[in-house]
Amino acid sequence: MINSVGQVGVPVKNIERATAFYQGTLGLPLLFHTDTMAFLQSGDVRILLTLPEKQEYDHPSSVVYFNVESTRIAYSELRNKGVEISGEPHVVSKMGDVETWMCFFKDSEGNTHAFMSEEKAE
């Protein structure tokens, strides 16, 4: 029934600040924006930054896990940009000779997201 995730909506408080974070800090290409929304691309998934239309949608978003080549390198880059990071990169699972690494961070709006990578065990 479901083939893939096409878009993830992230509620924001300030559309300009959030767009600057996702485009500038995270390096996601901006597709287009309006006064209340911005659409960015992350691989095959669109990220929709949106001012909540109703009070019921005004809450932190689900965690978006961004695939990266190396969680440790992405962590260093974010730390150098002054992004709030919730702990060091760490292995969350090991399957054979492949380790899944993660590191969590906060966006400019206080939403928690993560970098994840699958890397050959050292």
Side-chain angles (χ1 to χ4, degrees):
M1 186 166 102
I2 296 174
N3 293 328
S4 65
V5 173
Q7 180 169 290
V8 174
V10 178
V12 301
K13 295 173 181 16
N14 181 305
I15 197 72
E16 291 83 15
R17 177 180 63 205
T19 302
F21 179 86
Y22 283 79
Q23 183 180 24
T25 304
L26 296 183
L28 298 179
L30 178 67
L31 300 174
F32 65 95
H33 65 89
T34 69
D35 291 342
T36 61
M37 297 181 291
F39 294 84
L40 300 104
Q41 195 69 40
S42 179
D44 293 334
V45 178
R46 277 192 310 259
I47 304 294
L48 162 62
L49 307 177
T50 182
L51 296 173
E53 293 179 37
K54 300 177 182 177
Q55 184 63 31
E56 64 192 84
Y57 301 130
D58 190 11
H59 57 79
S61 74
S62 298
V63 177
V64 177
Y65 292 81
F66 293 98
N67 282 316
V68 294
E69 289 294 318
S70 168
T71 297
R72 292 167 283 186
I73 292 171
Y75 160 83
S76 294
E77 290 176 5
L78 277 193
R79 190 180 62 198
N80 290 339
K81 293 179 179 180
V83 173
E84 182 181 342
I85 300 173
S86 308
E88 302 273 328
H90 57 282
V91 175
V92 295
S93 70
K94 185 172 181 175
M95 296 171 279
D97 65 344
V98 176
E99 297 174 332
T100 301
W101 284 77
M102 282 193 195
C103 128
F104 294 86
F105 63 92
K106 296 226 181 238
D107 70 8
S108 61
E109 309 305 293
N111 297 302
T112 298
H113 298 305
F115 285 139
M116 65 180 285
S117 58
E118 291 187 347
E119 303 176 32
K120 187 166 181 72
E122 296 176 357

